Amino acid sequence: MRTKPDVLVVGCGAIGLSVAYNLAMRGMRVLALDRVGPGAQTSARAAGQSVIAQTDPAMGQLMHRSIETIAGFEDNTGVPFKYHQVGSIKYALADWSASQLSREVERARLLGADVSMVALDDAQRIAPHTNADVAVAAWHAPNDLYFSPPDMLAAFYSVAKKAGVEFQFGEDVSDIVIDAGKVAGVVTGSGRIDAGAVVMTTGPWTKELLARTGTILPAVYVRHQYSIRSGVPGIHPGLPSVRIVDHAVYARPVGANLMFGTYEPHPLEFKAVPKRAEDVPLDGAAIETALQKVNAVFRGLAGSSVVELRGGVPTMTPDGSYLIDEVEVARGLYFATGCNVMGLSCAPALGEEMAAWLATGQRPEVLKGFSIRRFADRNLSSDEIRRKALGEYEGIYRDTETAGHIRRYGALPGNMHAG
């Protein structure tokens, strides 16, 4: 008979695997459940980019530590984790976006990030697959890195197993058991599983599960997708990631191919999230539209071919920040969701902080700003939550001073719903 775990982690994406591993490293008995398998849902479909130029102090701290963890992973654990610390370039194509880049650099440097404005000639040298002549300004972050998401997921799964985490796959949680104001476990298709504490790291499926406790998460779910393209000349793994503020696009090498993605002006929104990420409907039209807007920046992009179209379901919140908390009516029931497309890149540090919280009973300082209680006095209607959260997705590359520069191309709002 299985020993009752100290902690049950529900959801084995990047954050769940990191939480489980770090809990086990603190000597706790950990059981991790997943409907499919380790990292088999949205995490595996992320872009796999770590961006050190954050402007929020908590996000900056989490990102810095996550990059350090990734860079030292193999030395510290003995488990291989391939990554490319080749930096990144961010371009502005207009005066308004150039001003934003300057603000980004100023704010990021205050948080200790190594990021600076660079001459366009230098940007061209660093990213020779681009045409800096069409840009107005650029910044460079030499310590940014990228990696293949499956590599991160496999690495954390491996170290978690080595640390003693027990895994159980093919389990669909249908209910949360609460006894006298404290979580007692969960119910799955194979029966009840008791645990001393439960951590929900179930991404876009968290909202439905927590609603069973009366906890309503201010979040919406959208499709994010990108294409892998062949035929772009000069692409190799040593090139930096490239982002363009004006059209919210990003690109990075995938071997000799190029990953090209965009944050759509009118993303497909899910009222009911598909149970499996492979069931997310994909449509590359918005990517092709964005490509036409920036093909002058990337040499040969216009003539490239789509090798693969990938998509997942990120969770968006009204202020673009995580939802990380303990459920008020169920002590010992924790959740970490609201990735706002930044779940994978900060997962290493988030797992450490969540494990510290459960082990000590004290919420770490860096997580305090992500409490759901920050919305308690805002009285947001469901329409306001939806509008603000969708705005965070569409405007992810804009700061508050450039919020008025909205892209007008893309699908119409009437085509936003699925499920």
Side-chain angles (χ1 to χ4, degrees):
M1 182 176 180
R2 176 193 293 128
T3 302
K4 176 181 173 180
D6 297 317
V7 183
L8 176 65
V9 177
V10 183
C12 293
I15 295 175
L17 290 171
S18 180
V19 170
Y21 164 65
N22 282 284
L23 285 168
M25 290 298 289
R26 286 177 170 267
M28 293 188 175
R29 297 186 303 275
V30 183
L31 172 62
L33 307 180
D34 196 274
R35 176 188 293 147
V36 184
Q41 298 273 48
T42 289
S43 287
R45 292 159 175 79
Q49 301 180 104
S50 295
V51 188
I52 205 166
Q54 301 295 315
T55 56
D56 172 74
M59 285 298 299
Q61 181 179 336
L62 292 169
M63 186 66 75
H64 280 231
R65 286 174 45 206
S66 292
I67 289 175
E68 290 175 355
T69 298
I70 292 169
F73 195 89
E74 185 167 358
D75 287 344
N76 293 326
T77 68
V79 173
F81 181 177
K82 186 177 182 180
Y83 64 93
H84 303 272
Q85 195 161 22
V86 290
S88 68
I89 290 287
K90 196 170 191 180
Y91 281 124
L93 306 185
D95 289 341
W96 69 264
S97 50
S99 297
Q100 177 176 308
L101 289 192
S102 296
R103 292 193 297 272
E104 289 180 4
V105 167
E106 181 179 359
R107 291 190 295 251
R109 289 177 70 87
L110 288 174
L111 300 179
D114 184 4
V115 55
S116 59
M117 300 297 294
V118 294
L120 292 176
D121 286 347
D122 290 331
Q124 178 77 70
R125 175 182 53 80
I126 296 165
H129 60 306
T130 65
N131 177 16
D133 290 342
V134 301
V136 173
W139 63 235
H140 177 224
N143 294 324
D144 281 0
L145 55 79
Y146 74 85
F147 53 87
S148 170
D151 287 348
M152 169 186 271
L153 298 162
F156 269 98
Y157 179 50
S158 178
V159 295
K161 288 195 297 182
K162 285 176 61 176
V165 176
E166 183 178 353
F167 288 92
Q168 195 168 320
F169 301 125
E171 294 284 8
D172 202 349
V173 172
S174 59
D175 206 356
I176 300 170
V177 182
I178 301 172
D179 184 12
K182 187 179 186 308
V183 71
V186 301
V187 178
T188 73
S190 59
R192 173 169 165 166
I193 301 175
D194 292 331
V198 176
V199 183
M200 308 296 298
T201 56
T202 43
W205 299 279
T206 306
K207 185 175 184 177
E208 179 182 355
L209 289 167
L210 289 184
R212 301 172 188 275
T213 72
T215 303
I216 306 302
L217 297 184
V220 301
Y221 307 105
V222 301
R223 177 186 64 194
H224 180 71
Q225 53 185 358
Y226 59 81
S227 58
I228 306 297
R229 314 186 76 90
S230 66
V232 182
I235 302 301
H236 59 83
L239 293 172
S241 296
V242 175
R243 298 173 185 83
I244 303 175
V245 174
D246 312 67
H247 299 289
V249 302
Y250 59 85
R252 72 158 175 88
V254 181
N257 294 329
L258 188 72
M259 174 188 291
F260 181 86
T262 187
Y263 297 90
E264 303 176 31
H266 303 294
L268 181 68
E269 179 189 357
F270 294 94
K271 290 184 176 179
V273 182
K275 284 187 174 293
R276 293 176 180 266
E278 59 261 34
D279 294 332
V280 173
L282 302 179
D283 178 5
I287 295 176
E288 297 304 317
T289 299
L291 183 149
Q292 295 303 316
K293 301 290 183 180
V294 301
N295 60 26
V297 178
F298 296 95
R299 303 178 188 279
L301 182 62
S304 63
S305 301
V306 176
V307 176
E308 185 180 358
L309 188 62
R310 298 176 186 167
V313 186
T315 305
M316 304 303 300
T317 64
D319 61 1
S321 288
Y322 298 124
L323 298 172
I324 301 176
D325 217 331
E326 182 179 18
V327 174
E328 285 188 343
V329 299
R331 297 186 313 279
L333 176 58
Y334 301 82
F335 58 90
T337 186
C339 70
N340 290 275
V341 303
M342 294 289 283
L344 196 78
S345 54
C346 286
L350 282 174
E352 293 177 16
E353 297 296 343
M354 289 298 294
W357 189 356
L358 270 75
T360 66
Q362 300 296 315
R363 188 200 306 257
E365 188 68 30
V366 72
L367 298 185
K368 288 183 177 179
F370 303 132
S371 169
I372 192 176
R373 293 164 179 79
R374 69 186 187 270
F375 294 105
D377 298 327
R378 296 177 64 177
N379 297 316
L380 294 176
S381 67
S382 58
D383 284 344
E384 289 175 310
I385 290 171
R386 176 178 176 271
R387 177 175 55 81
K388 289 178 179 294
L390 290 175
E392 289 293 330
Y393 180 85
E394 189 275 334
I396 198 163
Y397 278 12
R398 299 191 305 271
D399 66 12
T400 55
E401 294 183 51
T402 58
H405 293 272
I406 298 173
R407 289 166 290 142
R408 301 297 179 184
Y409 55 87
L412 296 176
N415 296 328
M416 292 170 65
H417 298 286

